[in-house]
Amino acid sequence: MNSANSNAVRIDLGRHSLRDANASLQGRNGSGESGYFRVVNPGGAHAIACGLDAPVEVDIMGHAGYFCAGMNKLARIRVAGNAGQGIAENMMSGLVRVEGDVSQCAGATAHGGLLVVGGNAAARCGISLKGGDIVVKGNVGHMSMFMAQAGRLVVLGDAGDSLGDSIYEARIYVRGGIGTLGADCVEKPVESIHLAELRKLLDQAGCEDVDAGDFRRFGSGRNLYNFKAENLDDY
C-alpha cells in the first residue's frame, strides 16, 4: 500500500461525516483523481470504504467497525488496526489487508479478490465464500467456511470447531491444529497443484518465509450434494 504517497487525499472522519467520506472515496465529490486516500480518525465507524469500484488505494489509519470495505471492486484497502464484523463482505476483486484482528464473518460471500488478516479471525470466517481468497496469519474461530462454495482459505494458526461445515468446492489449508471438522468436510491430500496455489497465496499475503509444505488441506467429501435419507442426521 502507498500510505506515504504525497498526493494522498486526506479524509478526517473526526471532522467529516461517513457519508461524505465514502462519497469522496467513490469519486462522487471529484476528489478521487489522485487515486490515493488516507482516512484518519476512523474511530471504529461502520461501513468505511464500501462500494469502491476503481483501482484506488485507501489507508484507514486506525480501527474500523462493521462491514468495512464491503462490496469492494478493484480497490486496495488497508486497515491499520482491527476491524469489526463482515470485513470485505461480498468483495468482487481487489485487495483488503487488515493489520490486526477481525470479528465474525470476515470475507463473507466474497466472489473474488484477496483478504489478508494479520491477526486472528473470529467465527464464520469465509462463510458462503463464492470465489474469493482469504489468508489469516493467526487463528480462525468456529464454523469457518460454512457452506463455502468456491475460493480458498489459508490459516497459518489453528482452526476452531466445525471447520468447513457443509462445504462445496472451496479449499481450506491449515498449518496449525483443528478443533473439529464440520459435516461432510474431510482431509484431502496435498498435491503439487495445491502446493503451487498455496505458495502463490502466501506470497501475495506477504508470507514468503512460510513453508507451503507445512499445511494440511480440507474440502468437501461430496456426500451432501444430493439428499440421501441415510445422511439425514448430517443435514
Side-chain angles (χ1 to χ4, degrees), residues 11 19 34 66 89 128 177 234:
I11 298 175
R19 182 183 294 273
S34 75
Y66 292 175
E89 182 265 345
S128 194
D234 291 330

Side-chain angles (χ1 to χ4, degrees), residues 76-168:
R76 295 168 60 88
I77 301 168
R78 179 177 71 100
V79 179
N82 303 321
Q85 180 172 316
I87 179 75
E89 182 265 345
N90 204 33
M91 177 165 59
M92 295 296 168
S93 61
L95 170 66
V96 176
R97 187 183 297 272
V98 180
E99 294 185 353
D101 299 325
V102 299
S103 188
Q104 299 183 79
C105 301
T109 73
H111 290 251
L114 173 63
L115 168 63
V116 179
V117 178
N120 303 309
R124 300 175 184 86
C125 178
I127 183 173
S128 194
L129 194 70
K130 292 178 171 62
D133 293 316
I134 304 173
V135 177
V136 178
K137 297 182 181 182
N139 308 318
V140 297
H142 66 273
M143 295 292 287
S144 288
M145 293 291 273
F146 173 56
M147 293 191 70
Q149 298 163 39
R152 295 159 300 187
L153 169 66
V154 179
V155 182
L156 276 65
D158 301 328
D161 289 336
S162 299
L163 178 69
D165 191 278
S166 304
I167 193 172
Y168 287 81

